[in-house]
Amino acid sequence: MPLHEMLHAAATGTVHVEDGWGQGRATYGGLVAGMLVAAARKPVADAPLRSVTVSFVAPVTPGDADVETTVLRAGSRATQVQAVLRQEGQAAAVALASYGAPRESALVVPVRDSLPQLPAPESVEAMPHVPGMTPDFFAHVDLRVTEGGWPFSGSATADLSGWMRFREAPPTFGEAEMTALVDAWPPTVLQMLTEPRPSSTLTWTLELIEDLSALAPAPDTWWAYRVTTDHSADGYARTHAHVWHPDGTLVAISRQTVAVFG
């Protein structure tokens, strides 16, 4: 079952999580978050997704899963929806999605961070998918590092820039697809290590600056990505990242807390 079919199934409340999307002992977190976003959208009509925060409670494994959504509040402009993915009756991931219709405002603060000057994605070597060595889900994403390094490469920096898209473009590209794609990048601090160490995302917040339904990006769009590590100590790293459309439009801001073991 390809990505778009799993996202569609999650919106119905029942989904089979396919094998081949592994990330260590768990299913790739971006896929899990994408399914939660797809499900959370169902009870909301037209308001754009403004922010989603995901807590990865337990490893999601291949197999059947149930996704339950609850509208916590539906106001005149803003709607808050909770989505919970369960396997064998136990919560494995929880998302709080916030939707907000546009409203009149005299406050306008222009975007301060502009699209960095990056080499063309076609000129950059793709992060490889090596069965048995790299995460299984790398078979589905195309990541091109332009600044920084690959995991466990002994890099001197904990920051990273690059391009990303799916290897096989989905039929359409919206909120759930963006959610599933942005989380594909390995935690930036891992590139400073010289040998493999396990890691796990605790919480992740994705804020959408643009309404993707209005932007209507091509499914095979190359998205520019730049992530900065704000702090890392005591086995926890905190990062924030910006995502741009290639025309220079800031589309999303990603914030993440990661546990690094060993």
Side-chain angles (χ1 to χ4, degrees):
M1 183 185 298
L3 170 68
H4 69 276
E5 292 185 8
M6 282 189 282
L7 297 179
H8 176 77
T12 70
T14 302
V15 59
H16 183 83
V17 182
E18 292 291 333
D19 200 1
W21 287 84
Q23 184 177 17
R25 64 192 182 99
T27 297
Y28 162 51
L31 172 59
V32 174
M35 292 188 293
L36 290 169
V37 166
R41 162 55 68 182
K42 190 171 183 180
V44 183
D46 300 320
L49 176 64
R50 301 293 179 176
S51 176
V52 58
T53 297
V54 182
S55 290
F56 298 97
V57 180
V60 174
T61 57
D64 293 337
D66 297 316
V67 186
E68 178 186 358
T69 58
T70 303
V71 177
L72 301 178
R73 184 177 187 275
S76 59
R77 295 284 179 174
T79 301
Q80 306 275 354
V81 180
Q82 177 180 276
V84 182
L85 185 147
R86 292 186 172 87
Q87 286 189 312
E88 298 182 355
Q90 300 298 313
V94 181
L96 179 62
S98 302
Y99 301 85
R103 66 183 77 216
E104 292 186 8
S105 176
L107 296 175
V108 178
V109 179
V111 173
R112 299 181 181 180
D113 201 6
S114 59
L115 173 66
Q117 294 295 318
L118 303 178
E122 295 81 8
S123 68
V124 182
E125 183 181 0
M127 193 174 289
H129 170 237
V130 182
M133 295 185 64
T134 60
D136 293 343
F137 79 89
F138 270 27
H140 305 285
V141 295
D142 193 343
L143 307 178
R144 309 288 176 103
V145 176
T146 60
E147 298 176 48
W150 292 353
F152 317 120
S153 61
S155 175
T157 178
D159 300 337
L160 180 145
S161 298
W163 296 97
M164 60 181 173
R165 69 178 181 181
F166 289 109
R167 292 184 186 268
E168 180 180 349
T172 59
F173 196 98
E175 299 164 348
E177 288 80 10
M178 176 62 80
T179 304
L181 180 61
V182 173
D183 194 40
W185 295 93
T188 52
V189 290
L190 296 185
Q191 69 190 17
M192 303 184 72
L193 301 175
T194 57
E195 58 184 31
R197 288 287 187 272
S199 63
S200 177
T201 298
L202 292 181
T203 60
W204 177 41
T205 297
L206 183 65
E207 302 168 9
L208 292 182
I209 310 301
E210 290 290 323
D211 180 358
L212 288 175
S213 63
L215 187 62
D220 62 350
T221 294
W222 281 107
W223 299 94
Y225 178 85
R226 181 167 67 192
V227 58
T228 300
T229 299
D230 299 308
H231 177 265
S232 182
D234 301 323
Y236 297 91
R238 297 161 183 85
T239 67
H240 77 272
H242 286 181
V243 179
W244 292 269
H245 187 275
D247 69 3
T249 302
L250 179 65
V251 175
I253 300 174
S254 172
R255 309 179 195 276
Q256 194 170 34
T257 300
V258 180
V260 181
F261 304 93

